[in-house]
Amino acid sequence: MVSVLFLFVLTLMIAQLTRAELPGTWELLVPNAGIASMHTAVTRYNTVVLLDRTNIGPSRRMLPRGHCRNDPNDVALKRDCYAHSVVLDLKTNEIRPLMILTDTWCSAGQFLPDGTLLQTGGDLDGLRKIRKFQPCEADGFCNWVELKDVELVNGRWYATNQILPDGSVAIVGGRATNTIEYYPPRKNGPVLFPFLAEVEDKQMDNLYPYVHLLPNGHLFIFANNKAVLYDYEANKIVRDYPPLDGGPRNYPSAGSSAMLALQGDFSTAVIVVCGGAQFGAFIEKSTDTPAHGSCGRIVATAPDPVWEMEDMPFGRVMGDMVMLPTGEVLIINGAQAGTQGFEMASNPCLYPLLYRPDQPLGLRFMTLNPGTVPRMYHSTANLLPDGRVLLAGSNPHIFYKFKAEFPTELRIEAFSPEYLSLDRKNIRPMIEGIPEIVRFGEGFDVSVSVSLPVVGIVEVNMGSAPFATHSFSQGQRLVKLAVTSAIPDGDHRYKIRCTAPPSGMVAPPGYYMVFAVNQGVPSVARWVQLVA
């Protein structure tokens, strides 16, 4: 009996020691957000918009008095006085309820050049809806607006949005919708996109396609296990990429995808796709089928591109890939078995991974400090301006369910990568001065302060604010600007000359989080609007 107890205590001690030695820290920001966020986006006012679906039944946050939603077709609540969207103030961690009228279940989104969040599609009465959220200061009263003068031509459920170089938005695919349309609407309406039909299998696996705008102006579109290069102006596929080994990678078998940081002359774009469920897990409703652990990496702009394969330390389905200000990628959330869908996964993957793209093949993954809150189906991850990553949501049930093995999750957490550790505080830069607006190709100065003397180049990197949903951050990109050496400019201050991205193909117009990065440690970002 004593020996068994001793072994148990020893195991606990080893587990705690291992956890303490791994990089990264966790904190609880909000114990009860009121909703489980299925879709999340960070605004230029340092607020976060969180959005669920409307036909979920009672949430845990009431709308203001007199703002109930009446819908005779809602199977859960005919008169709904509950919030299904909220906005979080990052300064105070306070929550304000927002009102959404039509169903946003499995919808899409993207920020427009003026900083307005465009939100498209959903299910049922939301299938063709276009909504906008024009963000405001945290103490303001901005709210969702559902457009009445325009709607989607095709219904869009499980579609992907991607901002284009001119600031318009491509709206790609959706369930039983193998077309692409645009906002603002184009004169000729939607265009057929047969590729999505060609890659559909018996369990779909072509939903929420991974769409990346390459610096050559074309769209890299990945669905199931295949990808194409699409010239959206000519409505023509200009390249077929080789298939990616390892089974399906998109909903309902989704892993995740990210385009690595654009840098140098911006002629090279590298795409990474990681994880996913095994084919058949969705059809068989198998919760214990192990997830894929493989990643494919491809130079999408190369003359003869091929996938370079490597394995993560864990199999993972429903993981999120978040571009960090350094150019590294955080892989977080998800499960090690099962698939996407209600009650369809098990064995939550609590260990985040750091993907270090500049390391040699086989040495790119670092296992980080595990969390304690399972974040599985309908969870999100978003980079914050202070360099932390916000984690929200997880609801593997058709309605809210709190007494379950994996309950509906209303807590909001933040994960701090190792670059925010106290031992790096003296090399963390602070942006003291930067223009609020910069134009394509324009030179501009950034003033920074650092406690210890600067050694080497201080990077200035621009990160977009994507729309995170279903394990993919729509519109995510990081651009490393051309910079000069940091020139001393007074007490612990330095001036850096930067050149803005040359065109909307490299960085579409809009608001970006601009970080100064010193020896791998990012500053708190300043919001800058990039314009033509």
Side-chain angles (χ1 to χ4, degrees):
M1 180 67 181
V2 173
S3 60
V4 173
L5 180 61
F6 173 77
L7 289 173
F8 176 72
V9 172
L10 181 63
T11 301
L12 283 179
M13 291 175 63
I14 292 173
Q16 290 173 354
L17 181 63
T18 301
R19 179 185 292 267
E21 289 179 342
L22 292 175
T25 59
W26 292 83
E27 60 183 311
L28 177 65
L29 297 185
V30 180
N32 182 357
I35 71 166
S37 189
M38 186 186 299
H39 321 85
T40 309
V42 180
T43 84
R44 70 185 189 275
Y45 291 100
N46 294 328
T47 60
V48 183
V49 179
L50 303 106
L51 181 63
D52 199 1
R53 52 181 247 246
T54 55
N55 61 354
I56 195 74
S59 69
R60 293 300 183 267
R61 178 72 58 159
M62 300 296 295
L63 288 167
R65 186 183 298 272
H67 288 76
C68 298
R69 182 178 65 92
N70 295 297
D71 184 357
N73 297 315
D74 193 321
V75 297
L77 287 173
K78 309 299 182 188
R79 179 173 172 80
D80 188 354
C81 300
Y82 295 91
H84 303 291
S85 180
V86 299
V87 61
L88 166 67
D89 177 3
L90 290 171
K91 185 176 181 180
T92 64
N93 290 336
E94 292 184 354
I95 295 284
R96 178 171 66 86
L98 302 174
M99 188 167 187
I100 196 88
L101 295 176
T102 55
D103 189 24
T104 50
W105 186 6
C106 300
S107 51
Q110 197 80 164
F111 280 106
L112 299 174
D114 68 354
T116 298
L117 179 59
L118 178 76
Q119 220 276 326
T120 62
D123 192 21
L124 303 174
D125 61 350
L127 193 62
R128 295 188 177 183
K129 286 293 182 180
I130 299 175
R131 312 166 192 87
K132 286 185 176 181
F133 181 82
Q134 189 169 1
C136 58
E137 296 285 356
D139 59 357
F141 297 98
C142 46
N143 215 320
W144 287 102
V145 174
E146 308 223 359
L147 304 190
K148 297 179 180 178
D149 59 338
V150 62
E151 66 177 11
L152 298 171
V153 177
N154 298 141
R156 303 281 172 182
W157 195 24
Y158 301 91
T160 300
N161 289 1
Q162 171 63 57
I163 190 170
L164 300 175
D166 65 355
S168 63
V169 174
I171 306 167
V172 182
R175 189 166 183 171
T177 307
N178 301 314
T179 63
I180 299 175
E181 62 183 291
Y182 299 87
Y183 181 86
R186 295 194 172 185
K187 181 174 62 175
N188 296 326
V191 295
L192 293 175
F193 192 57
F195 167 74
L196 292 176
E198 293 165 6
V199 297
E200 183 176 0
D201 58 31
K202 293 180 180 179
Q203 56 180 24
M204 296 170 292
D205 285 325
N206 65 342
L207 304 182
Y208 277 126
Y210 303 145
V211 182
H212 301 285
L213 172 66
L214 301 190
N216 59 17
H218 298 328
L219 295 177
F220 178 96
I221 303 179
F222 184 101
N224 197 326
N225 66 341
K226 296 180 180 178
V228 295
L229 186 64
Y230 178 63
D231 180 344
Y232 63 88
E233 294 288 7
N235 186 29
K236 182 174 65 174
I237 289 176
V238 295
R239 167 179 283 174
D240 291 284
Y241 292 93
L244 174 60
D245 291 339
R249 307 282 182 161
N250 292 81
Y251 189 95
S253 303
S256 190
S257 176
M259 180 171 68
L260 299 183
L262 300 176
Q263 56 190 313
D265 65 0
F266 305 118
S267 63
T268 301
V270 181
I271 309 296
V272 180
V273 179
C274 288
Q278 292 191 38
F279 177 78
F282 183 79
I283 295 174
E284 297 165 6
K285 297 184 178 181
S286 171
T287 62
D288 56 3
T289 300
H292 295 304
S294 65
C295 290
R297 171 169 162 163
I298 193 166
V299 181
T301 48
D304 297 300
V306 294
W307 290 100
E308 180 183 70
M309 302 301 295
E310 54 192 321
D311 289 323
M312 299 184 287
F314 309 95
R316 191 184 304 250
V317 60
M318 298 179 285
D320 285 273
M321 297 181 73
V322 180
M323 287 297 307
L324 299 179
T326 57
E328 297 166 316
V329 184
L330 180 72
I331 304 175
I332 199 165
N333 295 342
Q336 297 183 67
T339 181
Q340 287 176 308
F342 296 123
E343 320 289 347
M344 296 279 275
S346 66
N347 193 8
C349 198
L350 299 175
Y351 285 86
L353 297 175
L354 186 67
Y355 179 77
R356 301 168 295 177
D358 295 336
Q359 294 296 312
L361 181 67
L363 299 175
R364 292 176 181 151
F365 292 104
M366 175 188 288
T367 302
L368 305 179
N369 186 22
T372 59
V373 178
R375 303 276 182 186
M376 299 167 70
Y377 190 44
H378 290 155
S379 60
T380 59
N382 295 73
L383 177 67
L384 297 179
D386 62 8
R388 296 177 299 170
V389 174
L390 182 137
L391 293 315
S394 187
N395 185 25
H397 317 290
I398 194 164
F399 298 118
Y400 284 12
K401 188 176 182 180
F402 300 101
K403 294 183 178 180
E405 182 180 7
F406 306 115
T408 301
E409 187 53 65
L410 305 183
R411 286 172 288 184
I412 298 177
E413 296 176 288
F415 177 78
S416 294
E418 188 178 22
Y419 55 54
L420 294 179
S421 61
L422 289 176
D423 62 350
R424 304 188 185 194
K425 184 178 180 180
N426 287 337
I427 60 173
R428 188 177 195 191
M430 177 183 294
I431 297 178
E432 303 286 356
I434 189 172
E436 293 183 357
I437 300 174
V438 297
R439 298 187 178 278
F440 291 130
E442 179 181 34
F444 63 97
D445 291 328
V446 175
S447 176
V448 303
S449 62
V450 187
S451 296
L452 293 180
V454 165
V455 178
I457 294 292
V458 176
E459 296 180 348
V460 178
N461 301 337
M462 301 178 62
S464 67
F467 181 87
T469 187
H470 289 78
S471 308
F472 182 63
S473 290
Q474 301 180 14
Q476 179 173 238
R477 72 202 297 113
L478 184 76
V479 179
K480 296 192 172 188
L481 302 184
V483 297
T484 64
S485 297
I487 301 172
D489 190 33
D491 188 28
H492 297 289
R493 289 175 178 261
Y494 299 85
K495 183 179 290 185
I496 305 164
R497 187 67 176 172
C498 309
T499 304
S503 71
M505 295 187 294
V506 174
Y511 284 87
Y512 288 80
M513 292 178 281
V514 178
F515 298 88
V517 181
N518 179 38
Q519 299 181 56
V521 179
S523 68
V524 173
R526 295 279 288 271
W527 289 94
V528 173
Q529 187 179 19
L530 180 63
V531 300

